Amino acid sequence: MPLDSAPRLAAHGLERRFGAARAVRGVSLTLDRGELLLVLGPNGAGKTTLLRMLAGLVRPTSGAVHVDGSLLLGNPDLRRSIGLISHQTLLYDDLTATENLRFTAGLYGLADPAGVARAALEQVGLTERANDPVRSLSRGMVQRVAIARALLHTPSIILLDEPFTGLDTASADQVRGVLAAQRVAGATIVVVTHNPVEAWDLASHVAVMVRGGWAIQEERPASLEAFQPRFTEAVRA
């Protein structure tokens, strides 16, 4: 397959073992530009381990991840095309939001770090708190700064691990707005969550992960109400 026609993100037969335990077993997926996969499942289902393999941070025991047709493992240039929002914000509490983003922009070698930081904070609605130390911000604001940090280098693939945890309604809406804009711009997105309501309307595809494997994997149904009984049954099985 020519690289220019390859899917943006593809995983084939991913498995990750920790000793005798299989955290992820036989997971495959294919996502093109502008698609968003909503990954659902209970705690301990393997969702975070899967996301870390997709980000190139955890080596699969077997299987492989490809970005634009090329193997991700061992390719730092492809790693650069990925933005990860995880449980760790990777922010410095004593620095301001702007200082954190300028520092990150410098690490990526971006031109005009100050301008990049300013635009990123405007995108997540935090211009008025730009010069406040991160330790003084609310949980929702810190999450928005972390998202701005992950998007600074305009990644083509965005991976989010429970991005709505601890957010109030306004902050959650802000995050959804950012993700919607990224999808329209052509980014490929994977959102891991335990609650389908949080990103249902954004998704093009949905998957339910149970005990390390897919219990459901399909294009997102039109009706969340009709999907909920299937989701509940899959998790309880």
Side-chain angles (χ1 to χ4, degrees), residues 80-101:
R80 185 183 173 92
S81 70
I82 297 172
L84 174 66
I85 295 93
S86 68
H87 297 293
Q88 295 179 324
T89 65
L90 302 179
L91 301 173
Y92 294 96
D93 287 346
D94 290 334
L95 297 183
T96 67
T98 295
E99 288 169 340
N100 267 284
L101 298 191

Side-chain angles (χ1 to χ4, degrees), residues 62-86:
S62 60
V65 178
H66 289 82
V67 173
D68 292 326
S70 296
L71 185 66
L72 175 61
L73 193 64
N75 192 330
D77 289 337
L78 290 182
R79 284 274 301 277
R80 185 183 173 92
S81 70
I82 297 172
L84 174 66
I85 295 93
S86 68

Side-chain angles (χ1 to χ4, degrees), residues 107-118:
L107 292 178
Y108 277 110
L110 302 180
D112 187 16
V116 169
R118 184 168 54 251

Side-chain angles (χ1 to χ4, degrees), residues 13-59:
L14 289 182
E15 181 169 311
R16 176 64 188 185
R17 290 180 178 269
F18 296 97
R22 283 197 301 174
V24 175
R25 50 183 181 84
V27 168
S28 298
L29 61 87
T30 301
L31 291 171
D32 284 315
R33 294 148 186 79
E35 294 186 329
L36 187 152
L37 172 65
L38 182 60
V39 179
L40 307 168
N43 292 335
K47 303 188 302 297
T48 293
T49 301
L50 170 62
L51 211 65
R52 289 177 65 80
M53 285 194 288
L54 295 178
L57 298 177
V58 170
R59 179 186 293 269

